[in-house]
Amino acid sequence: MSLLKSLFDMVFKSAVDSIINSEPQPAKPAPAPQAKPQPAREPAARDHTAYFAEILSSEFPQYTAQRNVKVTDLAGFAADEFQLYKTRPRQEYKAEWGEPYTFVLYQGTTPKGIVMLGAGDSHSRKVKYLISRMYAKKMGLPYINFYTQMPNERDYVVERIGKFMKD
């Protein structure tokens, strides 16, 4: 039996050795490519919220700008109906479904206007933005929208907000 076991061990070891030696050895990993230096950030790549916050605080000191305000903070949990789509005129659009306002401009504790930032076609096609706009309209507040993919030069932003926020 020991002869049989020795023979079996020898055959087994030979088989294992041939399998190990026949497997391809893993290739050495290629050196990581050197990171390309990043170009200086263009104005369009800036933090839009911080940019607009700075403009609001310096150019419109008569207002206090509060960021990221829920529609319900101003309108409450109303279940109004707005005809956002002609194909669904009875669809209910609740305030809590609206996109939070990027900035609400206050004089004291009274809201006076809304500055909303969005990308792409968000202001005209996304239901959350449409709900927010409709509630701003219902409350009689100017809804001033800006597209973040646009340059939004300082003079343009100041002029546009000033036009809507006539006292």
Side-chain angles (χ1 to χ4, degrees), residues 4 8 12 20 24 27 30 38 44 48 58-59 62 68 73 78 81 84 86 94 100 104 111 122 135 144-146:
L4 188 57
F8 177 76
F12 181 76
I20 289 173
Q38 295 294 322
H48 299 287
S58 64
E59 300 290 335
Q62 68 272 32
N68 202 30
D73 289 354
E81 293 179 20
L84 296 179
K86 293 180 192 273
K94 298 180 180 180
V104 175
S122 59
Y135 274 96
I144 313 157
N145 60 315
F146 291 93

Side-chain angles (χ1 to χ4, degrees), residues 123-155:
H123 294 296
S124 60
R125 300 193 38 104
K126 291 187 178 176
V127 173
K128 287 180 158 234
Y129 282 85
L130 295 172
I131 291 170
S132 298
R133 175 178 272 175
M134 295 305 281
Y135 274 96
K137 182 178 179 180
K138 178 184 181 215
M139 293 180 286
L141 297 173
Y143 181 94
I144 313 157
N145 60 315
F146 291 93
Y147 293 97
T148 56
Q149 75 271 18
M150 302 304 281
N152 291 314
E153 298 294 333
R154 186 180 191 91
D155 291 342

Side-chain angles (χ1 to χ4, degrees), residues 6-82:
S6 295
L7 185 60
F8 177 76
D9 286 343
M10 192 169 63
V11 170
F12 181 76
K13 184 179 181 319
S14 174
V16 169
D17 285 345
S18 69
I19 291 172
I20 289 173
N21 292 331
S22 68
E23 286 183 6
Q25 296 298 319
K28 292 181 182 178
Q34 296 294 327
K36 294 179 184 176
Q38 295 294 322
R41 289 180 67 180
E42 296 177 9
R46 67 181 164 251
D47 177 6
H48 299 287
T49 307
Y51 174 71
F52 275 82
E54 189 279 320
I55 290 174
L56 292 171
S57 67
S58 64
E59 300 290 335
F60 301 95
Q62 68 272 32
Y63 301 109
T64 303
Q66 187 175 352
R67 293 184 192 190
N68 202 30
V69 178
K70 294 178 186 173
V71 177
T72 53
D73 289 354
L74 298 178
F77 284 90
D80 289 16
E81 293 179 20
F82 294 111

Side-chain angles (χ1 to χ4, degrees), residues 58-118:
S58 64
E59 300 290 335
F60 301 95
Q62 68 272 32
Y63 301 109
T64 303
Q66 187 175 352
R67 293 184 192 190
N68 202 30
V69 178
K70 294 178 186 173
V71 177
T72 53
D73 289 354
L74 298 178
F77 284 90
D80 289 16
E81 293 179 20
F82 294 111
Q83 189 175 349
L84 296 179
Y85 297 105
K86 293 180 192 273
T87 58
R88 294 184 270 163
R90 291 286 176 214
Q91 176 67 45
E92 194 172 284
Y93 295 99
K94 298 180 180 180
E96 56 265 29
W97 297 346
E99 181 71 21
Y101 298 122
T102 311
F103 294 99
V104 175
L105 303 177
Y106 291 90
Q107 269 187 336
T109 58
T110 307
K112 292 294 187 176
I114 292 164
V115 175
M116 194 71 157
L117 305 181

